[in-house]
């Protein structure tokens, strides 16, 4: 991580643990918002008005949080307005690196090698982990925001005049219900899988795994309609999808969340396929990035062996690719 703007130690997957061995995720620190006219958003400062081509998004395709923002960008039709750079899925001793893997590229803005160099450009004294996603303002040379939950929400409204969209990912009439399901989904499932994977005590692992499967069971029961809130796709579907699509391929194995797979849940499986087939979503999923990325975490897979499967996830992705192309 960076301490006072200097890369000081080799990258380690466990960010922080509490006294009971529970994994603790770092709180994001750049919290400004792009708004239609540059007025300040709910947090941070103003001065970040919506403009085509002004902002740049850095993501990792292995990363569920970054993939949330990629999905929103696609669904909201912002791919021509907000260019994106994908980092190498294999974390190095200096964290995320640019280039050197299919589907990734050099840093187009500064030509740097590592993501942490973008952070020190934003704040020469930055202390913390250099995480993705990052939304960068090329006009003011500033980091706008590095919290996917915020980015997801600003992409829903900020560019409405430049690029009108049929999707409303955070409709006001569902705001309360979305917030409350988001919170539980995050604790139990999105971050729950990481808490299981990086637990350093049996108790912390047991607690995390029971939360993961309680939430999967709940979602299976809840899913009567097409999406989590009926026939409208919302940001909560994006938040659920990014974890579900990684579950059988990565979390079930490397994070030991292996009581069941998504393939064992009929409604969740159908839901996963339905969301994957929504135009734009399939392009945000790259199984090689996901598998190579998670299985490169040396602390969990010291020999770096690459798993052969799971065949059913590859088949699912192939099926949906064919359907989207047809
Ligand atoms: N709160 C952040 C979390 C982002 C995050 O933890 N990203 C991970 C990848 S999945 C990361 O960049 N980790 C690098 C590191 O911890 O050094 C968000 O949701 O945007």
């Amino acid at each position: 991580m960076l301490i006072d703007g200097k890369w000081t130690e080799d990258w380690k997957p466990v960010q922080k643990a509490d006294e009971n061995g529970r994994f603790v995720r770092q709180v994001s620190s750049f919290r400004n918002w792009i708004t239609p006219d540059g007025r300040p958003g709910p947090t941070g400062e103003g001065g970040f008005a919506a403009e085509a081509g002004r902002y740049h998004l850095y993501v990792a395709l292995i990363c569920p949080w970054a993939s949330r923002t990629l999905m929103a960008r696609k669904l909201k039709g912002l791919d021509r307005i907000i260019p994106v750079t994908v980092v190498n899925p294999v974390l190095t001793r200096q964290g995320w690196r640019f280039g050197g893997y299919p589907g990734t590229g050099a840093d187009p803005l500064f030509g740097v090698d590592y993501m942490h160099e973008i952070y020190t450009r934003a704040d020469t004294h930055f202390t913390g982990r250099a995480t993705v996603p990052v939304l960068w303002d090329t006009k003011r040379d500033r980091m706008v925001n590095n919290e996917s939950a915020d980015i997801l929400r600003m992409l829903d409204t900020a560019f409405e005049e430049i690029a009108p969209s049929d999707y409303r990912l955070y409709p006001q009439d569902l705001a309360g219900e979305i917030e409350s399901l988001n919170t539980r989904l995050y604790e139990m499932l999105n971050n729950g899988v990481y808490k299981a994977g990086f637990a350093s005590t049996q108790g912390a692992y047991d607690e995390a795994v029971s939360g993961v499967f309680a939430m999967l069971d709940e979602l299976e029961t809840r899913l009567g309609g097409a999406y989590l809130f009926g026939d409208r796709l919302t940001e909560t579907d994006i938040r659920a999808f990014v974890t579900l699509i990684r579950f059988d391929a990565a979390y079930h194995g490397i994070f030991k969340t292996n009581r069941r797979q998504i393939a064992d849940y009929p409604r969740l499986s159908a839901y996963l396929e339905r969301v994957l087939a929504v135009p734009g979503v399939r392009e945000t999923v790259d199984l090689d990035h996901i598998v190579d990325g998670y299985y490169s975490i040396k602390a969990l897979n010291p020999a770096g062996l690459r798993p052969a499967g799971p065949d059913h996830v590859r088949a699912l992705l192939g099926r949906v690719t064919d359907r989207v192309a047809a």
Side-chain angles (χ1 to χ4, degrees), residues 11 15 25-26 28 63-65 68 91 95-96 129-133 146-149 194 294:
W11 188 86
Q15 315 196 322
R25 187 174 292 280
Q26 165 181 297
S28 302
C63 176
W65 323 107
R68 291 170 168 185
L91 271 157
W96 300 118
R129 303 174 73 94
T131 56
V132 285
N146 69 337
E147 170 51 52
S148 62
Y194 281 86
Y294 282 103

Side-chain angles (χ1 to χ4, degrees), residues 43-76:
T43 53
E45 318 164 10
F48 301 99
E51 273 176 55
R54 171 169 168 180
Y55 299 96
H56 194 88
L57 186 60
Y58 290 100
V59 299
L61 297 180
I62 164 196
C63 176
W65 323 107
S67 295
R68 291 170 168 185
T69 67
L70 262 190
M71 264 177 92
R73 168 180 171 271
K74 276 280 180 188
L75 292 172
K76 297 292 292 186

Side-chain angles (χ1 to χ4, degrees), residues 32-36 48-51 55 82 135 144 154-155 158-159:
N32 308 305
W33 292 63
I34 302 174
T35 56
F48 301 99
E51 273 176 55
Y55 299 96
I82 307 176
L135 186 60
V144 182
M154 71 185 83
L155 296 188
F159 294 89

Side-chain angles (χ1 to χ4, degrees), residues 47-118:
F48 301 99
E51 273 176 55
R54 171 169 168 180
Y55 299 96
H56 194 88
L57 186 60
Y58 290 100
V59 299
L61 297 180
I62 164 196
C63 176
W65 323 107
S67 295
R68 291 170 168 185
T69 67
L70 262 190
M71 264 177 92
R73 168 180 171 271
K74 276 280 180 188
L75 292 172
K76 297 292 292 186
L78 300 174
D79 33 341
R80 264 187 241 112
I81 289 176
I82 307 176
V84 67
T85 298
V86 175
V87 299
N88 192 310
V90 178
L91 271 157
T92 71
R93 292 161 76 87
Q94 290 195 56
W96 300 118
R97 187 163 67 87
F98 291 101
Y101 189 95
T104 69
D107 169 33
L109 300 187
F110 314 111
V112 296
D113 294 324
Y114 295 97
M115 199 63 216
H116 70 76
E117 297 172 89
I118 306 280

